[in-house]
Amino acid sequence: MEKIAIAADHAGFEYKEAIKTLLSKKFEVIDFGTNSSDSVDYPDYVHPAANAVEEGECDYGIVICGSGNGVQITANKHQ
């Protein structure tokens, strides 16, 4: 079964949970957080998710934040 890494900041928490529910029907979803809508620093969650894809532990990765800009810049620091 393919594995998908997923991570979000506080603004993307509810979206992450909804996407995770849908994807878990066909994929193994590895949730890297955050685990609530409390304010957090998104790199703390995006870097581990991106590392999992980069190192082959997960096949794909999804990162979510309020604007999408911060998480994509962080994720793009990884191969």
Side-chain angles (χ1 to χ4, degrees), residues 7 41-51 54 63 65 68-79:
D41 294 325
Y42 59 84
D44 294 342
Y45 304 96
V46 174
H47 281 302
N51 278 333
E54 185 175 33
V63 292
C65 75
N69 292 323
V71 293
Q72 64 90 13
I73 290 169
T74 302
N76 282 331
K77 294 179 185 283
H78 298 267
Q79 293 294 320

Side-chain angles (χ1 to χ4, degrees), residues 4-76:
I4 299 177
I6 192 165
D9 72 350
H10 55 281
F13 171 71
E14 290 184 30
Y15 292 112
K16 177 183 69 82
E17 293 300 304
I19 292 168
K20 185 172 69 171
T21 299
L22 291 171
L23 290 176
S24 65
K25 295 175 184 174
K26 292 190 176 187
F27 303 94
E28 182 177 349
V29 180
I30 310 300
D31 187 348
F32 287 87
T34 185
N35 299 313
S36 74
S37 58
D38 294 340
S39 185
V40 296
D41 294 325
Y42 59 84
D44 294 342
Y45 304 96
V46 174
H47 281 302
N51 278 333
V53 175
E54 185 175 33
E55 295 172 2
E57 297 169 16
C58 292
D59 300 294
Y60 306 99
I62 299 171
V63 292
I64 307 161
C65 75
S67 69
N69 292 323
V71 293
Q72 64 90 13
I73 290 169
T74 302
N76 282 331

